[in-house]
């Protein structure tokens, strides 16, 4: 436990270490990445693991944010056409997963039972931090259409989670974002704010 805290402090992953603004933004973005298209698991033996699904067009974005976070990683399932490519932390990956968990990323699968809300720290972020979170979430999760500029996010999660995310996206963009029936719809105007 103590060694894990020391590792996280040395990496600048804890708020009491006064991380650089770039490192803070990277941590916020990786929380959004985990919630939108990743997973975090904790084992009964004390181990922890986080993985991030990487779409082909998002490799460079992940490389940039991982470098800013001081996170080394490897790709798995890269050549497997039946499974999504994932990035998994290498050194200190278990410590990093525990840091994300302490920031409010829930362990386990995403379902209609949970999580019930975004991590509480997201509401307290400044405008730039909220924008980092919102952009990462939408860029990883949204489905685009060929014939219209709106986006949809399919989310089989509690209504309270959908509402929380919708409020955040509205607050960041100042544009129309609605939710209902396991889906968030991002208006064309809001999409332009999030994808530019």
């Amino acid at each position: 436990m103590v060694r894990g805290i020391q590792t996280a402090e040395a990496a600048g992953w804890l708020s009491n270490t006064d991380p650089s603004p770039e490192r803070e933004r990277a941590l916020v973005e990786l929380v959004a990445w985990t919630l939108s298209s990743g997973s975090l698991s904790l084992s009964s033996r004390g181990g922890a693991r986080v993985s991030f699904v990487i779409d082909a067009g998002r490799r460079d974005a992940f490389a940039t944010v991982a470098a800013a976070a001081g996170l080394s990683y490897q790709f798995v399932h890269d050549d497997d056409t039946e499974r999504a490519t994932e990035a998994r932390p290498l050194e200190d990956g278990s410590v990093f997963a525990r840091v994300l968990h302490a920031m409010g990323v829930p362990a386990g699968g995403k379902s209609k039972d949970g999580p019930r809300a975004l991590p509480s720290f997201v509401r307290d972020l400044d405008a730039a931090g909220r924008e980092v979170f919102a952009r990462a979430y939408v860029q990883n999760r949204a489905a685009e259409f060929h014939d219209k500029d709106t986006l949809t996010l399919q989310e089989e999660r509690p209504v309270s989670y959908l509402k929380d995310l919708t409020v955040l996206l509205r607050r960041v963009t100042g544009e129309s974002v609605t939710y209902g029936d396991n889906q968030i719809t991002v208006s064309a105007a809001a999409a332009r704010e999030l994808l530019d």
Side-chain angles (χ1 to χ4, degrees), residues 135 138 148-151 169-170 172-177 185-196:
R135 282 178 176 268
V138 168
K148 56 184 176 178
D149 293 332
T150 58
L151 303 172
L169 298 179
R170 279 187 202 143
V172 167
T173 64
E175 302 292 348
S176 175
V177 181
T185 302
V186 179
S187 68
R192 283 191 289 275
E193 294 291 325
L194 295 165
L195 297 180
D196 283 347

Side-chain angles (χ1 to χ4, degrees), residues 2-195:
V2 171
R3 185 176 177 127
I5 292 170
Q6 290 170 338
T7 298
E9 285 177 340
W13 295 335
L14 301 180
S15 58
N16 67 342
T17 60
D18 197 23
S20 69
E22 293 80 16
R23 182 127 317 168
E24 277 191 275
R25 281 193 300 274
L27 290 173
V28 168
E29 189 167 346
L30 289 171
V31 167
W33 207 305
T34 308
L35 288 168
S36 61
S37 65
S39 65
L40 190 148
S41 61
L42 301 175
S43 78
S44 58
R45 291 181 294 230
R49 188 176 91 178
V50 63
S51 62
F52 309 91
V53 173
I54 310 294
D55 291 334
R58 300 283 289 147
R59 282 178 180 256
D60 289 345
F62 187 81
T64 299
V65 72
L71 186 68
S72 62
Y73 63 92
Q74 66 179 355
F75 288 119
V76 295
H77 313 306
D78 204 15
D79 297 323
D80 187 342
T81 58
E82 302 294 315
R83 299 179 73 175
T85 297
E86 295 179 7
R88 291 186 186 161
L90 290 170
E91 295 176 34
D92 305 319
S94 182
V95 173
F96 188 74
R98 290 195 173 283
V99 168
L100 293 184
H101 186 62
M103 291 175 72
V105 176
K110 301 162 182 82
S111 71
K112 291 187 179 210
D113 297 325
R116 305 198 69 72
L118 294 175
S120 59
F121 84 90
V122 174
R123 288 182 217 96
D124 299 328
L125 290 169
D126 62 13
R130 288 190 303 270
E131 183 176 343
V132 164
F133 184 94
R135 282 178 176 268
Y137 199 107
V138 168
Q139 289 170 1
N140 284 319
R141 190 78 186 165
E144 298 183 54
F145 299 96
H146 296 295
D147 58 342
K148 56 184 176 178
D149 293 332
T150 58
L151 303 172
T152 59
L153 287 74
Q154 290 296 127
E155 297 279 5
E156 290 196 30
R157 304 211 187 172
V159 170
S160 56
Y161 183 93
L162 298 178
K163 183 178 179 183
D164 212 18
L165 182 55
T166 298
V167 168
L168 175 75
L169 298 179
R170 279 187 202 143
R171 187 174 180 194
V172 167
T173 64
E175 302 292 348
S176 175
V177 181
T178 58
Y179 70 92
D181 211 21
N182 299 327
Q183 179 174 290
I184 294 173
T185 302
V186 179
S187 68
R192 283 191 289 275
E193 294 291 325
L194 295 165
L195 297 180

